[in-house]
């Protein structure tokens, strides 16, 4: 299969491309920089230059492929206050892919998120899975529902919901940010009693699920890419504190913004999730270390 991948040189993409190549697929990745292009070439992938705003490029690459995996998202803009702009760009990209793949029966796999899906209870694949193509919808979950609606247009679409903690060596996301905050503050904090639970997955297990979705997911599938159902953030903070030699301590909700910065919102959310239906549907069996075990391996603390 010839697969077009956006975000192919990113955190998950850099694990997915070798996974696809090893399985015998031919990969072309979207690259917006020379560095990304070089990384893709080194991984054995072809290169298509462009950005998420180049809708004609996206549509042409999709039409020339046997399937698309859409991992890219404008995280740099989202985390600097432009989340709506990033979400709008993502929706436009999905619309372009949908138009290019309509009626083909080819697979389209979208990366989405678990955080905030069903706060305070264990989220299941059926939660928030109603297809919708309504215009003007403005959240990532709305874009996921748009993707599911493409099944009615002859696209084998699926959505892979990722946990906030896609961990592993080289991670620069939420877990690495929590380590950085603890190092800077001299305290490894958690909000309130720290009972908030986050689902988690190792990046290599996540990459494997994306391949399974591309190859086998039925049209309109919602998949949960979490191995850990919910790791209490106090447990995460305690490992970080012990590894850094700083205390682990509660931070009052009113002080969270001052302590955690942009992480204040996410660390206050209780967001456990089940992946039972995903495992049954695609025989996905996560085999890599869980979040706490991965933290204990020490690579998150290797640099000052």
């Amino acid at each position: 299969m010839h697969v077009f991948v956006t975000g192919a040189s990113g955190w998950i993409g850099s694990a997915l491309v070798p996974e696809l190549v090893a399985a015998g697929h031919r990969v072309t990745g979207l690259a917006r920089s020379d560095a990304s292009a070089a990384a893709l070439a080194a991984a054995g992938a072809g290169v298509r230059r462009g950005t998420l705003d180049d809708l004609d490029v996206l549509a042409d690459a999709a039409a020339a492929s046997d399937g698309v995996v859409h991992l890219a998202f404008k995280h740099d803009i989202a985390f600097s206050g432009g989340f709506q702009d990033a979400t709008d760009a993502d929706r436009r990209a999905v619309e372009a892919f949908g138009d290019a793949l309509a009626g083909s029966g080819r697979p389209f796999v979208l990366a989405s998120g678990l955080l905030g899906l069903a706060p305070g209870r264990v989220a299941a694949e059926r939660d928030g899975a109603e297809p919708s193509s309504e215009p003007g919808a403005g959240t990532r979950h709305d874009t996921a529902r748009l993707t599911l609606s493409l099944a009615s247009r002859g696209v084998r679409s699926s959505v892979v919901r990722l946990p906030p903690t896609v961990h592993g060596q080289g991670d620069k996301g939420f877990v690495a940010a929590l380590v950085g905050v603890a190092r800077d503050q001299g305290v490894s904090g958690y909000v309130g009693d720290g009972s908030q639970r986050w689902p988690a997955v190792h990046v290599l297990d996540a990459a494997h699920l994306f391949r399974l979705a591309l190859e086998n997911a039925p049209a309109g599938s919602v998949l949960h890419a979490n191995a850990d159902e919910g790791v209490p953030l106090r447990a995460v903070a305690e490992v970080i504190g012990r590894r850094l030699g700083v205390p682990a301590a509660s931070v009052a909700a009113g002080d969270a913004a001052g302590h955690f910065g942009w992480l204040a919102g996410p660390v206050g959310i209780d967001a456990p999730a089940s992946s039972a239906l995903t495992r049954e549907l695609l025989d996905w069996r996560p085999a890599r270390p869980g979040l706490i075990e991965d933290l204990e391996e020490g690579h998150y603390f290797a640099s000052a």
Side-chain angles (χ1 to χ4, degrees):
M1 187 183 298
H2 176 207
V3 187
F4 179 58
V5 181
T6 71
S9 61
W11 174 230
I12 297 170
S14 62
L16 175 60
V17 170
E19 169 93 14
L20 292 173
V21 171
H25 298 297
R26 182 164 63 93
V27 180
T28 297
L30 183 69
R32 62 178 181 174
S33 69
D34 291 341
S36 293
L40 289 172
V47 176
R48 186 66 182 259
R49 294 300 294 260
T51 73
L52 286 185
D53 295 320
D54 296 322
L55 300 182
D56 289 343
V57 170
L58 301 184
D60 184 65
S65 74
D66 299 313
V68 175
V69 180
H70 179 36
L71 300 175
F73 188 76
K74 295 184 176 183
H75 290 101
D76 51 345
I77 294 174
F79 291 149
S80 61
F83 190 84
Q84 192 59 58
D85 289 339
T87 301
D88 291 345
D90 192 41
R91 183 181 179 87
R92 289 191 294 269
V94 169
E95 290 171 341
F97 286 133
D99 290 343
L101 296 172
S104 69
R106 285 175 282 171
F108 173 59
V109 186
L110 173 75
S112 190
L114 281 170
L115 196 62
L117 181 67
R121 64 176 177 83
V122 178
E125 288 89 341
R126 295 188 180 95
D127 288 315
E130 305 81 8
S132 173
S133 58
E134 290 297 316
T139 71
R140 291 196 77 182
H141 293 312
D142 291 322
T143 303
R145 283 188 281 269
L146 169 62
T147 297
L148 298 177
S149 76
L150 296 177
S152 67
R153 298 179 60 197
V155 180
R156 184 162 63 81
S157 60
S158 61
V159 172
V160 176
R161 291 172 176 163
L162 292 160
T165 45
V166 181
H167 55 86
Q169 191 156 4
D171 175 23
K172 294 180 174 61
F174 281 114
V175 176
L178 285 172
V179 172
V181 169
R183 183 178 280 121
D184 293 342
Q185 297 282 359
V187 173
S188 182
Y190 50 87
V191 176
D193 64 1
S195 61
Q196 301 89 345
R197 295 160 293 174
W198 273 9
V201 69
H202 194 281
V203 65
L204 296 178
D205 285 326
H208 184 56
L209 180 57
F210 274 100
R211 176 169 72 83
L212 293 178
L214 178 79
E215 294 173 344
N216 299 313
S221 299
V222 175
L223 308 168
H224 281 189
N226 59 295
D228 289 322
E229 180 175 286
V231 182
L233 292 186
R234 179 169 181 165
V236 174
E238 288 173 344
V239 175
I240 293 172
R242 176 163 46 79
R243 284 284 183 167
L244 293 179
V246 302
S250 173
V251 176
D255 298 328
H259 182 90
F260 293 103
W262 65 270
L263 278 167
V267 297
I269 298 175
D270 183 37
S274 169
S275 58
L277 296 178
T278 298
R279 297 180 194 221
E280 180 180 356
L281 179 66
L282 295 181
D283 195 29
W284 180 55
R285 297 289 181 264
R288 302 289 174 166
L291 176 57
I292 295 299
E293 183 182 355
D294 200 19
L295 278 168
E296 293 286 17
E297 289 187 358
H299 55 82
Y300 277 101
F301 314 100
S303 60

